[in-house]
Amino acid sequence: MEYIRKKINLENYTVRNIPKSVLVKNSEGKTVIDESNPKYYYGKIPNYKIDSEGNFILTPLGQKIVNTIDVSLFFTQDIDDMGIFTDEPFVPKSTTLSIKPDNFNSFTYGRLAGAPDSFYYTNSVTVSGYTDNSLLKQVKSYRKDSQGNDIYVPNLNVSNNPKSDFSGVISENNLQTVYKIGSNISDILNTGVEFTTFKNQFTKTVDEYGKDLSFNTTKFLSKNGGWNQYNTSLSATLKKEEYLGIVFKPEVDSAVFINRGIEDIFERHGILSEIKTSNDIDTNRGGFIRI
């Protein structure tokens, strides 16, 4: 605990002027001060704010304003990262609200007891623009055509989490390739970022070193702006003692090399025996086959 001592000059709050309304004539015709006048505060600190004539300063509602003595204190704070918080399932309020309050704003109200997560949803915001075609290679097939060009297979999911996410080509023709990155598997068209790469249109620019660049013009479109059922959830957050001070999850980088010796070549032939058609290259072993 630290004690803070402050000196305040009360002279700044003391009334030192005398309104004309408290000046009166005595029996001898001399001007004197009527100290019994309610507007006389000389040498005092009034309980309510007054003007130079001793009248109360009122609010727009006609109420008196309490006179306060302000003390300025400067606080400093050391930021100590408490580490990782953990989401914990919780039992919600038994009575769940069904009607959203008028003009409800979560940034103003914060957590509203009994409110479902739908109360926090906001209108979607569409973001669009132009970028390069660097993400196109992420949705290509492992196969090549007869001329050695990449093949793009519609509806082929190349996501690392194919059970929950979708990343792949939506459609392709002679003019353009439409593909999605990071869509929810249950609502592919309305989630994720949609890219359209035009095959016959090119964009020329320069990089930060002044080198000329040229790539296929690509348009992106995202309808994911705002809060919705795909990015919003309600849960209690708690701090586990063993995670105090831990900011990031531990990362383990393992590089394992297995030398199979002379049997390695037979394993490669064994893998090839599993491939019956060219389409199996994209589907065999979860799409991670390497020859």
Side-chain angles (χ1 to χ4, degrees):
M1 179 183 295
E2 179 183 357
Y3 293 93
I4 301 177
R5 296 182 179 181
K6 298 283 292 186
K7 291 183 178 180
I8 302 175
N9 187 2
L10 297 181
E11 184 67 23
N12 298 330
Y13 301 91
T14 305
V15 177
R16 291 303 181 188
N17 66 297
I18 300 177
K20 294 181 180 180
S21 58
V22 302
L23 301 178
V24 295
K25 296 286 187 179
N26 60 9
S27 58
E28 298 178 357
K30 295 181 180 180
T31 300
V32 295
I33 300 174
D34 182 9
E35 296 183 2
S36 63
N37 193 306
K39 296 184 178 181
Y40 177 74
Y41 292 98
Y42 184 84
K44 301 177 181 179
I45 300 177
N47 294 330
Y48 299 94
K49 293 184 180 295
I50 61 174
D51 59 17
S52 59
E53 295 298 326
N55 300 313
F56 291 114
I57 301 176
L58 305 177
T59 65
L61 299 178
Q63 298 176 344
K64 299 178 184 178
I65 302 176
V66 178
N67 195 12
T68 59
I69 298 177
D70 300 328
V71 180
S72 298
L73 298 177
F74 299 93
F75 293 98
T76 59
Q77 180 181 6
D78 295 330
I79 300 177
D80 184 16
D81 198 319
M82 295 297 292
I84 301 174
F85 282 92
T86 303
D87 290 339
E88 185 75 10
F90 69 104
V91 179
K93 186 178 180 181
S94 58
T95 303
T96 303
L97 300 179
S98 58
I99 300 177
K100 187 175 182 179
D102 295 336
N103 300 322
F104 175 74
N105 188 331
S106 60
F107 290 100
T108 303
Y109 291 89
R111 177 74 172 94
L112 180 62
D117 53 0
S118 60
F119 277 26
Y120 299 90
Y121 295 168
T122 59
N123 296 328
S124 62
V125 178
T126 300
V127 179
S128 62
Y130 288 88
T131 182
D132 57 31
N133 62 337
S134 58
L135 294 178
L136 181 61
K137 60 184 179 181
Q138 294 187 13
V139 297
K140 69 180 181 179
S141 167
Y142 293 138
R143 296 178 293 157
K144 302 281 187 179
D145 61 14
S146 59
Q147 298 179 353
N149 298 319
D150 294 327
I151 296 178
Y152 298 94
V153 181
N155 301 321
L156 175 63
N157 191 354
V158 297
S159 171
N160 293 330
N161 300 302
K163 293 183 178 181
S164 60
D165 302 330
F166 176 85
S167 293
V169 177
I170 301 297
S171 64
E172 186 194 28
N173 54 40
N174 295 329
L175 299 178
Q176 62 188 27
T177 302
V178 181
Y179 50 101
K180 283 272 193 171
I181 299 293
S183 293
N184 188 285
I185 195 67
S186 60
D187 191 8
I188 296 176
L189 296 180
N190 296 318
T191 58
V193 182
E194 179 180 300
F195 295 87
T196 303
T197 297
F198 300 95
K199 297 182 178 181
N200 300 323
Q201 298 182 23
F202 298 90
T203 299
K204 293 183 179 181
T205 183
V206 294
D207 61 12
E208 58 182 341
Y209 302 105
K211 182 180 179 181
D212 293 333
L213 296 177
S214 178
F215 49 81
N216 292 85
T217 301
T218 301
K219 180 174 65 175
F220 71 88
L221 175 68
S222 175
K223 301 178 182 179
N224 301 324
W227 294 352
N228 51 53
Q229 65 270 29
Y230 298 109
N231 58 20
T232 305
S233 63
L234 293 179
S235 60
T237 57
L238 55 87
K239 176 63 64 176
K240 293 184 177 180
E241 185 176 357
E242 61 266 29
Y243 292 148
L244 288 176
I246 299 177
V247 181
F248 301 102
K249 293 182 178 180
E251 296 182 0
V252 179
D253 186 8
S254 298
V256 180
F257 174 75
I258 300 177
N259 187 0
R260 298 181 182 273
I262 60 174
E263 296 181 358
D264 183 66
I265 186 173
F266 297 104
E267 182 186 16
R268 294 174 182 267
H269 284 284
I271 295 176
L272 288 176
S273 66
E274 299 176 6
I275 308 299
K276 305 300 181 183
T277 65
S278 59
N279 291 331
D280 289 344
I281 297 178
D282 293 326
T283 58
N284 189 274
R285 297 198 176 190
F288 289 97
I289 185 173
R290 294 291 186 272
I291 303 300

